Amino acid sequence: MWLLDQWAERHISDAQKRGELDHLRGSGEPLVLDDDSHIPTELRAGYRLLKNAGCLPPELELRREAVGLNDLIKGIQKDDPRHAEMSRQLTLIEFKLRQAGMNTDFLHGEYCEKLMQRINEE
């Protein structure tokens, strides 16, 4: 066991003996663990740190930006001077997403409409 692991285990066992961990939120409930079996073991800690810090891969960051921009565009009038610039930015982001091999149908709402039709049929 690494020195840091031994240090952490000692502090955890000391805290357990003092009863500091007895009434924690979620105590006694099963842990919800992420499936990181597809990530190489040497990269798992780094990926988890990035995920917990809110960092996303560039493609997903672009996707989030595109969704936000699309929502802004829907909220303004077409004759608003910002509409043209935002539309241009959205087109550029959509192009980058397609270059990365990602589907951009989520920007056009066709999927949502089809899904709602399917739900209403059932």
Side-chain angles (χ1 to χ4, degrees):
M1 206 185 255
W2 291 88
L3 182 62
L4 185 60
D5 293 333
Q6 292 173 356
W7 178 83
E9 288 294 328
R10 184 174 41 117
H11 281 282
I12 290 170
S13 66
D14 289 347
Q16 284 175 328
K17 289 175 188 171
R18 290 190 303 268
E20 294 175 5
L21 306 177
D22 291 344
H23 302 290
L24 294 177
R25 184 172 38 97
S27 180
E29 297 177 14
L31 293 175
V32 179
L33 301 175
D34 294 335
D35 178 24
D36 57 1
S37 59
H38 61 284
I39 300 171
T41 54
E42 64 272 8
L43 297 177
R44 287 181 187 166
Y47 276 35
R48 184 163 291 127
L49 282 171
L50 289 170
K51 179 183 174 192
N52 291 341
C55 296
L56 291 174
E59 294 83 13
L60 292 181
E61 188 65 46
L62 273 176
R63 181 184 165 113
R64 183 168 57 181
E65 187 179 340
V67 169
L69 199 53
N70 196 29
D71 289 343
L72 285 173
I73 289 172
K74 288 179 183 176
I76 61 176
Q77 301 288 331
K78 289 193 179 207
D79 59 348
D80 189 315
R82 298 174 297 169
H83 189 276
E85 177 60 25
M86 287 182 176
S87 295
R88 188 187 68 73
Q89 287 176 346
L90 183 60
T91 303
L92 180 63
I93 291 172
E94 188 174 358
F95 178 71
K96 288 179 181 179
L97 287 170
R98 286 184 182 162
Q99 278 186 323
M102 293 183 70
N103 189 335
T104 58
D105 290 345
F106 65 92
L107 292 172
H108 304 292
E110 294 126 9
Y111 179 76
C112 180
E113 292 169 11
K114 289 179 183 178
L115 183 62
M116 290 305 292
Q117 286 175 350
R118 189 79 174 255
I119 290 172
N120 291 332
E121 288 173 0
E122 295 177 357

